[in-house]
Amino acid sequence: ATYKVGYFVGSLSSTSINRELSKALIRLAPEDLEFAEIPIGDLPLYNRDLDTAYPPEAMALKEAIHQSQAILFVTPEYNRSIPGALKNAIDWASRPWGQNAFDHIPAAVIGASIGQIGTALAQQTLRNVLSFCNARQMTAPEAYIQYTPELFPGDGAVTDPATASFLSAYMSEFREHIIRVLQVLPREAR
Ligand code: FNR
């Protein structure tokens, strides 16, 4: 069996270091994890007036989450929190009331920053949000990645073997977490 993992990159930048991290994670992940990015850049701003008439971008977002058996969040830290674009996407996905796409879904959070604390505060904020959304989060290991161009030279390569093996272990643990959650809460790709 393979497991479908939808992933969010919290940055809209064309040169995002978090997209770079996502490429590395995909390269280092177990072979039976299949990845599809869930884009967030074209979503309008969430407005509950639209709960009865979701725009196509938001319908596509919810459908992409339903097609996933697990969700990976790869996000930068903006002003010690998560980027507005990512929060906006989560808000869309969580609504209308009673149709929260994240309910019981296996999830993991990770992020890269140029700063030394490696998105720790953004990840903690994101965990609060995902708790309320009732996602089944992997709580350990945590991964706070300090990006340097030497460490991530491009195309998902990771030059430092210790970092590569840490990221690979993180993805193996995520796979175990997904399997454990799905055993209790089977979630077909819907
Ligand atoms: C940042 N950056 C940043 N870094 C950090 O470690 N903690 C922070 O609170 C912030 N705040 C912040 C706010 C805003 C608006 C920007 C644009 C940037 C720096 C950030 O780590 C850096 O720009 C990364 O390159 C952002 O990730 P992406 O967009 O390259 O994936």
Side-chain angles (χ1 to χ4, degrees):
T2 59
Y3 300 96
K4 293 185 182 196
V5 178
Y7 68 96
F8 288 90
V9 175
S11 173
L12 305 185
S13 167
S14 59
T15 58
S16 167
I17 63 176
N18 282 279
R19 171 154 289 96
E20 190 51 42
L21 174 60
S22 74
K23 288 181 193 162
L25 291 167
I26 291 167
R27 263 177 72 158
L28 293 165
E31 279 188 358
D32 57 356
L33 299 188
E34 237 178 70
F35 293 87
E37 184 173 355
I38 302 179
I40 61 173
D42 292 334
L43 288 163
L45 288 177
Y46 175 77
N47 179 342
R48 69 180 174 80
D49 294 353
L50 301 176
D51 275 2
T52 49
Y54 257 41
E57 296 84 357
M59 296 287 275
L61 171 82
K62 294 194 66 147
E63 181 56 23
I65 297 167
H66 287 309
Q67 291 300 324
S68 309
Q69 285 161 306
I71 299 289
L72 176 65
F73 291 89
V74 188
T75 187
E77 180 171 280
Y78 278 5
N79 300 316
R80 297 289 183 247
S81 184
I82 57 173
L86 179 59
K87 180 59 162 55
N88 183 54
I90 294 172
D91 290 343
W92 277 116
S94 69
R95 291 273 155 169
W97 177 246
Q99 293 172 50
N100 163 24
F102 294 121
D103 192 34
H104 292 304
I105 200 163
V109 305
I110 190 169
S113 163
I114 51 177
Q116 273 188 353
I117 63 169
T119 72
L121 286 143
Q123 289 189 43
Q124 198 57 53
T125 304
L126 179 55
R127 287 186 181 283
N128 287 344
V129 175
L130 294 176
S131 295
F132 185 71
C133 292
N134 207 27
R136 298 279 89 92
Q137 298 178 59
M138 177 169 80
T139 46
E142 301 170 301
Y144 306 115
I145 308 303
Q146 186 176 21
Y147 170 92
T148 66
E150 293 73 32
L151 185 55
F152 296 95
D155 291 327
V158 182
T159 53
D160 172 38
T163 305
S165 109
F166 173 75
L167 293 175
S168 153
Y170 175 91
M171 293 308 281
S172 297
E173 286 293 333
F174 185 34
R175 175 181 179 278
E176 296 303 307
H177 174 73
I178 294 167
I179 291 169
R180 276 194 300 270
V181 173
L182 294 179
Q183 263 168 11
V184 186
L185 303 162
R187 183 185 176 99
E188 302 304 322
R190 292 175 291 162

